[in-house]
Amino acid sequence: MEKMRDLMKMPSWRFSCMTLIALMLSILTGWTGLEAQTRVKGEKTIVAETVEVDKMIHDFGDVMISEKMLHCSFHIKNISKKPIVVFNVASSCGCTNIRWTREPLTPGKTGEIQVDYTNDAGPYPFDKTLTVYISGLKKPVILRLRGMVHEKKKPLNEIYPIQMGTLGMKTTDIKLGNLKQGDSKGDSFQIANLGSHPLKLAFAEVSAGLELEVSPNPIPAHSTATVKYTVSADENTWGKNYYWFTPLVNSQPTHQKVGIWSFTIKDFSDWSKEDIKNASQPLFQSSSFTFPKTRKGKKINARFSFANKGKSNAIIYKIDCDWPDSQVRYEKDIAPGSSSEINVELDTSKMPEGDVMWTVLLTTNCPLRPYITLYIYGNID
């Protein structure tokens, strides 16, 4: 899976891989739509105003294969006015043993989910999900276990290769995943102090909607810390968005931005079956456009035709193309029974030669397809 993520960062890849990659894209981005509505309150997460979870992710950090069994726990508090029951907790793999509070949780009471993770393979990064089914919630709560397994102990500068003075990071491109509009979602990542003196970390040029905190801070010499962050999507946020910050090491700017990106979709959690039945339904004649061999420097015009087969207006909130030198023209509001077209103009001047594939992501008001992926294929000569 980690190798597939690396492939998806590449600007182009061969046609023999396209079908597999398209399938993996849908798998990797699709599951988040199953999550219950959440908002962050301090260090805790509120789920559908019913339960309060102390954390949504447990990051074991960097561990050794020799550590055969890893342990963690999650705490869930009933903040509603009725008793709730944790019916089941399902793991994405057989490497976890799970125990949870079985008796009903009355209002104000807290239950526990205890997890034993069998760390018997590697070295590899792992990211496992726990799907928690709770009475009173229409959708399950998704918890995650993750970490990086090493065969032998490595120096910090190898584990954290991106260096900004004495600050070490694994990446400056952090992915949060899907976020429902109006919600807030949090995650965390590990950093390291590569120096021989304590490091005080602060942040400058922080994007609106992004909050950050570090623990411990100052970071002791030759040790690690956790950066917790929360992204909140306001009423004007749609599609793919980057949230930036610049680390300050002991009050000195690093002059290097770190980006956190998420994909914001409409929240349909309170829609009734009747609302969904009467919703919009944009259907495309084809989700792909193939252009002939094109000489670098020429412009490509890709067209995608579709019709709104639903019972209400189809609204396209935003379109994101992953090729930066592009212009997209489209109609934002399409009446029921009407047809429309999306035109994408690509400047090939800076494209790599050979087979390429670019994606066009639509954010819509269709509950069955809140985001739609279109593909542009071809060859640059």
Side-chain angles (χ1 to χ4, degrees):
M1 187 64 73
E2 198 67 27
K3 290 182 179 179
M4 182 59 67
R5 291 192 185 105
D6 291 339
L7 278 173
M8 287 169 12
K9 294 177 183 177
M10 297 171 63
S12 64
W13 45 95
R14 297 293 171 187
F15 283 124
S16 59
C17 297
M18 288 181 179
T19 302
L20 176 60
I21 292 172
L23 175 62
M24 290 304 296
L25 276 168
S26 64
I27 293 173
L28 288 170
T29 58
W31 70 271
T32 52
L34 299 176
E35 293 182 74
Q37 184 183 19
T38 63
R39 65 180 176 86
V40 176
K41 182 181 179 182
E43 294 186 356
K44 297 178 173 59
T45 299
I46 308 299
V47 183
E49 305 302 328
T50 300
V51 297
E52 179 184 85
V53 186
D54 64 337
K55 58 187 173 184
M56 302 297 285
I57 299 169
H58 184 88
D59 192 337
F60 290 102
D62 296 282
V63 298
M64 302 297 114
I65 292 180
S66 57
E67 301 177 57
K68 297 296 184 181
M69 188 70 72
L70 304 175
H71 308 277
C72 71
S73 62
F74 298 84
H75 294 88
I76 296 179
K77 181 180 180 180
N78 180 5
I79 59 171
S80 71
K81 296 181 180 180
K82 298 179 180 179
I84 62 171
V85 176
V86 178
F87 286 125
N88 190 29
V89 182
S91 173
S92 60
C93 76
C95 51
T96 54
N97 179 42
I98 309 169
R99 305 176 301 281
W100 68 90
T101 304
R102 303 280 181 155
E103 62 268 18
L105 300 177
T106 54
K109 188 175 180 181
T110 299
E112 185 177 20
I113 299 173
Q114 298 179 329
V115 183
D116 302 323
Y117 176 73
T118 304
N119 176 36
D120 58 358
Y124 67 100
F126 63 89
D127 195 338
K128 310 297 182 182
T129 60
L130 304 177
T131 305
V132 185
Y133 297 91
I134 302 174
S135 64
L137 294 182
K138 295 180 181 179
K139 297 181 180 180
V141 177
I142 307 297
L143 306 176
R144 289 166 57 194
L145 309 173
R146 70 182 182 201
M148 178 67 199
V149 182
H150 300 280
E151 188 171 6
K152 59 182 180 180
K153 194 171 182 63
K154 294 183 177 181
L156 284 179
N157 60 354
E158 287 188 24
I159 300 175
Y160 299 88
I162 300 175
Q163 299 180 19
M164 309 175 196
T166 56
L167 172 65
M169 295 187 66
K170 293 181 179 179
T171 180
T172 56
D173 186 28
I174 300 165
K175 300 173 178 61
L176 179 60
N178 283 3
L179 177 65
K180 294 175 183 177
Q181 198 207 36
D183 276 10
S184 56
K185 186 176 180 180
D187 203 336
S188 64
F189 57 90
Q190 302 295 117
I191 58 174
N193 177 4
L194 307 177
S196 55
H197 301 283
L199 185 159
K200 179 68 175 179
L201 185 63
F203 307 102
E205 302 176 294
V206 180
S207 297
L210 174 63
E211 296 181 3
L212 302 135
E213 62 175 286
V214 187
S215 179
N217 198 13
I219 308 168
H222 305 297
S223 64
T224 62
T226 300
V227 177
K228 295 182 180 179
Y229 65 90
T230 302
V231 171
S232 301
D234 63 25
E235 296 179 355
N236 300 313
T237 304
W238 296 106
K240 186 174 182 178
N241 293 279
Y242 266 93
Y243 300 83
W244 303 96
F245 67 89
T246 300
L248 300 177
V249 176
N250 295 324
S251 302
Q252 298 300 312
T254 58
H255 304 293
Q256 185 168 351
K257 285 188 175 182
V258 177
I260 299 172
W261 69 263
S262 66
F263 195 89
T264 304
I265 62 175
K266 187 176 178 64
D267 181 15
F268 300 99
S269 60
D270 60 348
W271 281 37
S272 65
K273 291 183 179 179
E274 191 68 18
D275 291 333
I276 296 174
K277 180 181 177 181
N278 294 320
S280 67
Q281 191 177 359
L283 294 179
F284 283 78
Q285 292 182 5
S286 176
S287 61
S288 64
F289 179 91
T290 304
F291 60 88
K293 183 176 287 189
T294 301
R295 180 161 296 182
K296 181 180 286 193
K298 289 192 174 182
K299 291 185 177 181
I300 297 167
N301 290 289
R303 295 183 177 182
F304 299 91
S305 298
F306 69 99
N308 179 11
K309 299 294 185 180
K311 297 181 179 179
S312 61
N313 285 22
I315 300 174
I316 300 175
Y317 296 114
K318 187 182 179 186
I319 295 182
D320 295 287
C321 181
D322 62 358
W323 177 245
D325 293 333
S326 62
Q327 292 185 350
V328 184
R329 297 184 302 277
Y330 61 99
E331 187 179 358
K332 295 185 177 181
D333 199 328
I334 303 93
S338 298
S339 298
S340 190
E341 190 174 74
I342 293 173
N343 293 277
V344 184
E345 183 182 88
L346 305 178
D347 186 341
T348 66
S349 300
K350 299 179 182 178
M351 281 189 186
E353 295 181 359
D355 298 331
V356 297
M357 180 181 82
W358 307 110
T359 59
V360 181
L361 288 172
L362 283 66
T363 309
T364 78
N365 70 333
C366 174
L368 301 179
R369 303 184 71 191
Y371 52 90
I372 300 170
T373 306
L374 308 174
Y375 302 92
I376 301 174
Y377 307 106
N379 183 278
I380 303 299
D381 189 10

